[in-house]
Amino acid sequence: MKSTKRIPLINSPLYKLSSKSDLAKLLGVRTQILHKFQNSVRQYKRFTLPKPDSRERRPVEEPKSFIKGIHKKLKLILATIEVPDYLKSGVKGKSHIDNVKTHKDANYCVTMDLQHFYQTGRKTFLYQCFKEIFLIVNDIAWLLADLATIPETNNSKESYFPTGSPLSQIAIFWCYKKTFDDIDKICKQRGIIFSLYVDDMTFSSQRKIPVNGH
């Protein structure tokens, strides 16, 4: 897969974004639409799909055409921003193959799956990310968080990340970036290689990796 050159966060058009008119230009929509936007479950198709090798089914929330268009544009914008080497998903130029190659020479390997990753991610987390990391003004940060998430119910003020959206992978990473950065820092101090692929964390080392203190 051909790699894509990325830019520093401070060079992203999202950095320090301060007006709805500028956001409207980025998204290719009329400013009036953003002024009137109200997040709703009706903007998503909700259904379930069978889980591989399981009788259980997983919920899917697929954005309808208008929201999907916005999600695709936001994904493209976020995908141009530099990310840590440990991230192997949600960005062009990296894939599950790169994730495997990262650990191929290790003697020991531990994997962890973050359960209900998208469902436990919250709109408030994304808002804080846009405000504190991207330095986007308050009302625009809230609007972006609304645009990227689906309400739990029609009357709910809280939202989570839709599993059927092209944006969710990279957006939820930014929500938890500080935490993942801390994990990577600790691993490097202990000679452990860390990688993240969506909600799967992999740790490898030439020496045995302690798990649960053992």
Side-chain angles (χ1 to χ4, degrees):
M1 185 179 294
K2 185 178 180 181
S3 61
T4 302
K5 185 176 181 180
R6 301 181 186 90
I7 61 175
L9 173 60
I10 60 173
N11 292 338
S12 170
L14 287 177
Y15 189 68
K16 292 187 176 180
L17 193 64
S18 60
S19 75
K20 287 183 180 178
S21 59
D22 287 341
L23 176 58
K25 290 177 183 177
L26 285 176
L27 301 179
V29 301
R30 290 183 289 115
T31 306
Q32 288 179 328
I33 292 177
L34 297 184
H35 280 296
K36 297 178 180 179
F37 179 78
Q38 290 186 332
N39 203 359
S40 170
V41 295
R42 290 187 294 273
Q43 293 164 333
Y44 293 82
K45 301 174 186 176
R46 306 177 79 178
F47 53 94
T48 62
L49 290 175
K51 291 183 178 180
D53 303 319
S54 173
R55 293 182 179 180
E56 296 181 7
R57 299 180 69 87
R58 64 181 182 88
V60 178
E61 304 88 13
E62 181 183 355
K64 295 180 181 178
S65 58
F66 171 71
I67 295 297
K68 181 175 282 188
I70 287 177
H71 284 197
K72 285 181 177 178
K73 288 171 183 175
L74 284 173
K75 176 193 173 183
L76 289 174
I77 294 171
L78 289 174
T80 64
I81 301 173
E82 291 176 344
V83 291
D85 288 339
Y86 64 75
L87 181 64
K88 308 300 181 184
S89 61
V91 182
K92 287 184 178 179
K94 294 185 179 181
S95 70
H96 65 284
I97 297 174
D98 297 286
N99 192 41
V100 172
K101 287 181 177 179
T102 300
H103 306 280
K104 66 182 180 64
D105 296 324
N107 292 328
Y108 297 91
C109 188
V110 174
T111 60
M112 297 182 183
D113 179 14
L114 300 171
Q115 293 186 345
H116 309 299
F117 191 40
Y118 287 1
Q119 290 82 3
T120 54
R122 287 291 181 264
K123 175 180 70 175
T124 48
F125 301 166
L126 188 57
Y127 157 74
Q128 290 171 349
C129 164
F130 283 137
K131 186 177 180 182
E132 297 172 7
I133 299 178
F134 286 74
L135 303 184
I136 296 174
V137 296
N138 192 66
D139 61 329
I140 307 300
W142 273 123
L143 176 57
L144 280 166
D146 265 334
L147 288 167
T149 57
I150 178 174
E152 292 180 332
T153 65
N154 269 327
N155 299 320
S156 176
K157 293 183 179 180
E158 189 52 277
S159 305
Y160 60 94
F161 290 85
T163 57
S165 167
L167 172 64
S168 292
Q169 272 192 21
I170 189 66
I172 197 169
F173 162 73
W174 279 100
C175 283
Y176 294 110
K177 181 178 181 297
K178 289 183 178 179
T179 299
F180 291 132
D181 284 351
D182 288 342
I183 292 172
D184 185 54
K185 181 178 179 181
I186 293 171
C187 286
K188 286 178 177 176
Q189 291 172 347
R190 300 182 180 184
I192 298 172
I193 297 173
F194 164 62
S195 73
L196 175 70
Y197 189 83
V198 191
D199 56 357
D200 292 323
M201 297 191 297
T202 305
F203 306 86
S204 67
S205 176
Q206 300 305 107
R207 296 179 294 177
K208 189 173 182 179
I209 300 172
V211 178
N212 295 328
H214 300 290

